[in-house]
Amino acid sequence: MIHHLRTWEEKVVVLAGQICPPALPYIRRYQRFFRYLVAGGTAAMVDLGLLYIFTDFFLIHYLWSAIWAFIVSFFVSFLLQKFWTFQNTETDRMHVQMTVYFLVAVANLALNTLLMYLFVDYFHIWYVLAQVLASGLIACESFFISRHIVFKRRVSSSTTS
């Protein structure tokens, strides 16, 4: 699947370069950020879709729906961010990365739940829009944590004599 995403990504970049050649260097420079947005957007669509389905079809309270939707979207997010966005293919530390990513995600879940509660119960914002707002705020801090902590490339220590 990741191979298909990389192929699709390259086709989109080439097409964008053909449409607007002066933009190509900037697209290449910020390609990781664009991948982050697409991967995060995909996880967010999974999250929002499940939130809606759980709340409106299964009649689960919106806070519980948000928690369950978050859990599913966590795995979607981790796999896309690790293998596609940050192109981190090492698997020997994957359990450590997933643990750290999960701890960040749990903190984000608590923040998300608090924001959902405030937006819906105090500001009377529709729960789906509240989730979009909360997700946008959380996405900003998550990019930097993922890039600089979770998926930071290890520097191989080579011994020189």
Side-chain angles (χ1 to χ4, degrees), residues 9 13 23-38 84-85 143-144 147:
E9 174 189 1
V13 168
L24 189 58
Y26 298 103
I27 293 169
R28 290 279 185 208
R29 182 175 181 184
Y30 296 106
Q31 205 164 343
R32 180 180 307 176
F33 184 70
F34 291 134
R35 284 192 303 262
Y36 175 79
L37 292 177
V38 171
W84 186 48
T85 300
F143 175 79
F144 293 103
R147 182 174 183 184

Side-chain angles (χ1 to χ4, degrees), residues 43-44 46-56 59-74 105 108-117 120 127-128 130-132 134-135 138:
V46 168
D47 189 43
L48 284 172
L50 290 177
L51 172 67
Y52 180 76
I53 289 167
F54 291 156
T55 303
D56 281 16
L59 305 176
I60 299 172
H61 189 270
Y62 74 89
L63 290 178
W64 284 109
S65 294
I67 291 169
W68 286 110
F70 175 85
I71 290 168
V72 173
S73 68
F74 164 79
N108 286 342
L109 174 59
L111 178 59
N112 182 76
T113 305
L114 174 65
L115 290 172
M116 284 288 289
Y117 176 72
V120 173
Y127 72 92
V128 174
Q131 184 62 62
V132 169
S135 295
I138 291 168

Side-chain angles (χ1 to χ4, degrees), residues 89-140:
T89 57
E90 56 188 47
T91 55
D92 58 324
R93 293 182 49 235
M94 192 164 159
H95 63 287
V96 174
Q97 290 173 324
M98 186 176 277
T99 301
V100 174
Y101 196 81
F102 181 74
L103 292 174
V104 171
V106 167
N108 286 342
L109 174 59
L111 178 59
N112 182 76
T113 305
L114 174 65
L115 290 172
M116 284 288 289
Y117 176 72
L118 292 173
F119 291 159
V120 173
D121 286 356
Y122 283 96
F123 297 109
H124 307 289
I125 297 173
W126 181 43
Y127 72 92
V128 174
L129 179 57
Q131 184 62 62
V132 169
L133 296 172
S135 295
L137 293 171
I138 291 168
C140 294

